[in-house]
């Protein structure tokens, strides 16, 4: 009897670990913009994407709906929510405050290896943009930003920033192709690397805030274009 209870407990723990892993993977995919606004997800599709069974996939979806990253539209279907103008503005204002602070605090910890890491990431971003592989550019873009934010050595602040990216990540699809063609993000990132190399907190903060503002202007236009399209 005890052996059966132990076996059941082990199975439950294994199921929890699979659920946690699926949650982290799905969350990261949303943050990095793998799914665009309005994208529909089913338990089966998520299970296939993450190479897990339907149980951990369902657990991951349920956790992310409770966090507002996904919204149920039916008993078996969820969608990535579309941010309206008010939500986009609020998230952007909060990002400016939190990501600006993290960047400024990170400047004094700009070790040479961190600078080289950012340069390598930017090369990957540039290559992806040149070849119109925008999903790949978004994937590396998230890593670029959080490489800086983690240098702040303020883990709770980084966690709060991550929660904002969980909401804004899908909308970053709307940056392209204009953001790639005009090289807004590339120039901001280059200035950020220079500032980190010089351990200049004010300049690093300004570069990252400009990156957020430039992105906001494009996303705001995308919202307006979508609204105009729905009335046509």
């Amino acid at each position: 009897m005890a052996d059966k209870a132990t076996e059941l407990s082990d199975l439950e723990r294994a199921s929890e670990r699979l659920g946690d892993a699926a949650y982290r993977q799905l969350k990261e995919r949303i943050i990095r913009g793998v799914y665009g606004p309005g994208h529909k997800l089913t338990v089966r599709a998520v299970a296939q994407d993450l190479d897990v069974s339907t149980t951990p996939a369902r657990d991951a979806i349920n956790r992310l709906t409770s966090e507002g990253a996904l919204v149920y539209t039916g008993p078996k279907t969820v969608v990535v929510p579309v941010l309206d103008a008010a939500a986009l503005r609020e998230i952007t204002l909060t990002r400016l405050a939190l990501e600006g602070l993290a960047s400024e605090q990170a400047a004094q910890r700009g070790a040479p290896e961190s600078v080289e890491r950012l340069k390598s990431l930017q090369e990957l971003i540039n290559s992806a943009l040149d070849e119109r592989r925008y999903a790949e550019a978004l994937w590396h873009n998230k890593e670029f930003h959080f490489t800086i934010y983690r240098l702040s050595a303020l883990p709770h602040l980084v966690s709060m920033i991550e929660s904002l990216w969980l909401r804004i990540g899908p909308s970053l699809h709307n940056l392209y192709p204009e953001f790639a063609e005009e090289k807004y993000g590339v120039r901001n990132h280059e200035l950020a690397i220079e500032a980190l190399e010089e351990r200049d907190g004010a300049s690093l903060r300004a570069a990252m805030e400009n990156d957020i503002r430039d992105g906001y202007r494009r996303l705001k236009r995308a919202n307006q274009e979508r609204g105009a399209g729905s009335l046509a």
Side-chain angles (χ1 to χ4, degrees):
M1 199 68 172
D3 289 342
K4 286 186 177 180
T6 301
E7 183 179 345
L8 182 59
S9 179
D10 289 342
L11 288 171
E12 289 172 343
R13 281 195 293 269
S15 178
E16 287 176 2
R17 286 194 297 270
L18 284 172
D20 288 341
Y23 164 76
R24 288 192 298 271
Q25 289 181 60
L26 185 56
K27 180 179 179 180
E28 195 67 19
R29 290 168 77 87
I30 294 171
I31 288 173
R32 292 182 188 255
V34 172
Y35 310 113
H39 184 90
K40 291 183 179 180
L41 292 169
T42 64
V43 171
R44 187 179 299 278
V46 170
Q48 290 176 344
D49 282 352
L50 304 183
D51 194 23
V52 296
S53 68
T54 55
T55 298
R58 186 178 294 104
D59 290 345
I61 287 172
N62 287 337
R63 287 177 67 176
L64 287 162
T65 54
S66 70
E67 294 176 15
L70 298 170
V71 177
Y72 270 103
T73 58
K76 295 183 179 180
T77 304
V78 295
V79 298
V80 178
V82 177
L83 296 178
D84 61 20
L88 180 61
R89 181 176 180 274
E90 181 181 12
I91 291 170
T92 300
L93 289 172
T94 311
R95 286 186 65 200
L96 286 168
L98 300 187
E99 294 177 43
L101 174 60
S103 300
E104 191 167 9
Q105 292 296 311
Q108 296 307 311
R109 297 177 177 82
E113 56 267 27
S114 298
V115 172
E116 290 306 310
R117 171 65 174 157
L118 290 176
K119 288 179 179 178
S120 297
L121 286 167
Q122 192 56 44
E123 288 177 4
L124 293 172
I125 293 170
N126 292 347
S127 176
L129 292 177
D130 289 342
E131 297 176 17
R132 296 178 177 271
R133 292 181 278 109
Y134 301 137
E136 187 176 326
L138 283 175
W139 189 271
H140 297 308
N141 178 66
K142 186 266 184 179
E143 197 59 37
F144 183 98
H145 279 252
F146 279 80
T147 294
I148 293 174
Y149 303 152
R150 285 191 290 266
L151 289 173
S152 70
L154 299 170
H156 294 297
L157 177 60
V158 175
S159 180
M160 286 189 284
I161 294 171
E162 187 176 71
S163 70
L164 293 172
W165 276 63
L166 187 59
R167 296 190 64 199
I168 197 69
S171 295
L172 299 183
H173 273 269
N174 294 326
L175 293 175
Y176 303 113
E178 180 184 326
F179 219 64
E181 293 168 351
E182 299 297 332
K183 303 291 185 182
Y184 294 120
V186 172
R187 184 56 183 152
N188 290 326
H189 284 193
E190 288 172 347
L191 290 171
I193 293 171
E194 289 175 13
L196 186 63
E197 206 162 14
E198 296 169 3
R199 301 198 172 198
D200 183 343
S203 294
L204 181 54
R205 179 171 193 152
M208 300 308 285
E209 287 180 346
N210 283 338
D211 199 45
I212 294 168
R213 288 192 183 95
D214 286 340
Y216 171 67
R217 282 190 283 270
R218 172 59 197 137
L219 296 181
K220 185 179 178 181
R221 281 199 302 276
N223 264 9
Q224 292 167 345
E225 290 162 5
R226 185 175 59 246
S230 66
L231 294 174

